[in-house]
Amino acid sequence: MFPRSSPLIIAIVLTAAACSPAAPAAQITRPSTSAPTTTTAPPTTTTTIPFTVEGAPKGLTALVEDFYGYAAAELEKPPRMAGTVLDSIVPKEQSTPRTGVASVGTFKDVKVATVEVGDDLFLAVKQKEGWRVVGGSWPSLSIPDYFGYGPRLIAVVGSDARPGENVERTRADSIHFVGLDGKGKGAVVGLPRDSYVPIPGYGTGKITGSLALGGPDVMMKAFRDLTDLEFEGYILTGFSGFKNVVNEVLDGIQVKVPFAINDVKALATLKAGKQILDGFDALAFARARKTLPGGDFARSKHQGDLLIGAAMGVKTMGASAIPGFMEAAEPYVITDLTPTELLTFLTMTINMKLKDVPNIVAPGSAGWAGSASVVYLSSSAQDLFKDLANGRLDKWGQ
């Protein structure tokens, strides 16, 4: 008997739902629940349970129906799923949900979807062979949540590319490492853009220059060499892209501005307190540093606050908004994450208690390298990166 929380159970369930032939909608049968009409043995007839998924494209309804049918059926077991596994995860009295609602979007020319059936959630991606379940949450079936195995780490980078400039070949203005442990916790670690570190193939310089010198490949190699972390990939955007995402996709970001900011160079005129920033003010908040007591470190902290605020905005909209969010944001971001990776990462993110997510900036001190003002990371920065390796921060906390 497998334990209820075994990852193998999740893999078997997803494989069965994804690989088995799709059945026509409303064709899964169940034992009749009608009372016997005589004192003899109950009849063996079955009844068809209607099943619909509002807004689902062809094939997606059948996939979800098959998932429930194979997980709850007691007369026939699906291919590759042993009865002992079913018995360990499915209550005998479980009835099949009958209706659901689908949300579908397109990212990198691939269809992605969420399907909500009561409290259950499916994440699905359409591949050449058809729709495939890639994650979800199924409390009605007592199956553990699955949004990909942790830990997961990505780099979220804001380029300082102006309109008309190549986002992938300008300096990295904002650098953050976002971690998820796969168990409900995560962390955001900021790296000051002027950190003076080795850049593969280019000697030593400010980490901000790694993107301009060699594009995302060199930038990511610099991140990996510096931190010894296994990054899943990156998400990159520029100034105008960031403003468009905030305005058009998120409809603003709520953050707490710690004190009044008046930074002419960053075009920042912000009052203190919790407020919703539009794209213009959010970018100004992210760029301001000259008038901040902590300079580059305070700016990196504010940028992390914006990331968490953006995640909270998506969380407020709910998981059903993620496919549309991905489609709407695609013109403004560059990423090497696959549609499956991004769909599951975003869903895992909004399922955390975001207000408890630590937002830490790598420690260091300001100094000079020749005539250039730089940041020298302290030795404890390596301890911070090591602590992040499991997708959360255990020693650094808040």
Side-chain angles (χ1 to χ4, degrees):
M1 184 75 69
F2 291 103
R4 179 167 296 187
S5 60
S6 171
L8 178 60
I9 293 173
I10 303 171
I12 292 174
V13 172
L14 295 180
T15 300
C19 298
S20 55
Q27 294 301 308
I28 299 296
T29 60
R30 300 288 182 271
S32 173
T33 57
S34 302
T37 56
T38 69
T39 57
T40 60
T44 58
T45 59
T46 60
T47 180
T48 298
I49 298 178
F51 194 101
T52 61
V53 178
E54 180 183 344
K58 183 179 180 180
L60 186 54
T61 296
L63 174 66
V64 174
E65 185 177 33
D66 283 351
F67 187 96
Y68 285 115
Y70 291 155
E74 295 185 19
L75 297 181
E76 297 181 6
K77 305 303 180 187
R80 304 185 189 182
M81 188 181 294
T84 54
V85 176
L86 283 175
D87 291 342
S88 70
I89 62 175
V90 181
K92 289 290 185 181
E93 67 276 8
Q94 174 63 45
S95 61
T96 302
R98 300 187 180 191
T99 60
V101 178
S103 298
V104 183
T106 302
F107 189 81
K108 291 186 175 181
D109 297 323
V110 174
K111 292 290 185 183
V112 296
T114 62
V115 178
E116 294 178 317
V117 184
D119 292 330
D120 292 353
L121 171 69
F122 290 81
L123 306 181
V125 172
K126 188 175 184 181
Q127 300 177 330
K128 290 182 179 180
E129 63 274 17
W131 284 96
R132 173 172 170 260
V133 176
V134 296
S137 173
W138 305 277
S140 78
L141 297 176
S142 301
I143 300 175
D145 295 355
Y146 175 75
F147 302 116
Y149 296 109
R152 304 182 68 179
L153 295 163
I154 66 168
V156 180
V157 179
S159 164
D160 69 0
R162 273 61 169 182
E165 294 182 333
N166 186 346
V167 172
E168 297 178 271
R169 286 288 182 168
T170 52
R171 295 175 302 176
D173 189 68
S174 169
I175 302 169
H176 289 80
F177 307 143
V178 179
L180 306 175
D181 71 349
K183 301 176 182 179
K185 292 184 179 181
V188 175
V189 171
L191 184 66
R193 56 165 278 173
D194 289 339
S195 298
Y196 196 64
V197 301
I199 300 175
Y202 296 92
T204 302
K206 296 181 181 182
I207 192 65
T208 179
S210 61
L211 182 62
L213 290 170
D217 288 343
V218 169
M219 176 188 73
M220 291 304 296
K221 192 172 191 317
F223 292 166
R224 292 185 175 102
D225 289 353
L226 172 65
T227 65
D228 199 30
L229 294 172
E230 294 294 330
F231 290 97
E232 192 169 337
Y234 65 85
I235 296 175
L236 172 67
T237 189
F239 282 3
S240 60
F242 175 77
K243 288 193 294 185
N244 286 330
V245 168
V246 174
N247 288 334
E248 300 178 19
V249 183
L250 294 172
D251 195 23
I253 297 179
Q254 185 178 79
V255 296
K256 182 178 181 180
V257 180
F259 43 78
I261 299 175
N262 188 0
D263 189 318
V264 175
K265 189 171 183 179
L267 303 179
T269 304
L270 301 169
K271 62 182 180 180
K274 185 180 292 187
Q275 55 201 283
I276 296 177
L277 303 181
D278 63 12
F280 181 90
D281 284 337
L283 180 61
F285 183 58
R287 295 186 60 206
R289 67 165 175 161
K290 294 293 186 181
T291 60
L292 304 185
D296 205 19
F297 297 93
R299 174 173 64 174
S300 187
K301 173 67 166 59
H302 291 171
Q303 292 164 347
D305 290 339
L306 286 168
L307 280 180
I308 295 173
M312 286 182 172
V314 178
K315 185 181 182 76
T316 299
M317 292 186 282
S320 63
I322 291 178
F325 174 86
M326 291 171 61
E327 180 171 330
E330 184 179 6
Y332 310 122
V333 300
I334 298 171
T335 181
D336 60 346
L337 298 176
T338 67
T340 294
E341 289 170 337
L342 187 56
L343 176 64
T344 55
F345 192 93
L346 290 173
T347 308
M348 187 186 289
T349 299
I350 68 169
N351 273 273
M352 296 190 301
K353 292 183 179 180
L354 291 169
K355 64 181 182 62
D356 296 331
V357 172
N359 174 22
I360 304 293
V361 180
S365 58
W368 296 90
S371 60
S373 173
V374 300
V375 169
Y376 289 103
L377 296 175
S378 66
S379 59
S380 60
Q382 291 303 320
D383 296 330
L384 175 62
F385 301 144
K386 185 177 180 179
D387 195 16
L388 184 64
N390 62 6
R392 62 180 187 269
L393 293 176
D394 294 322
K395 298 178 182 178
W396 287 75
Q398 294 285 355

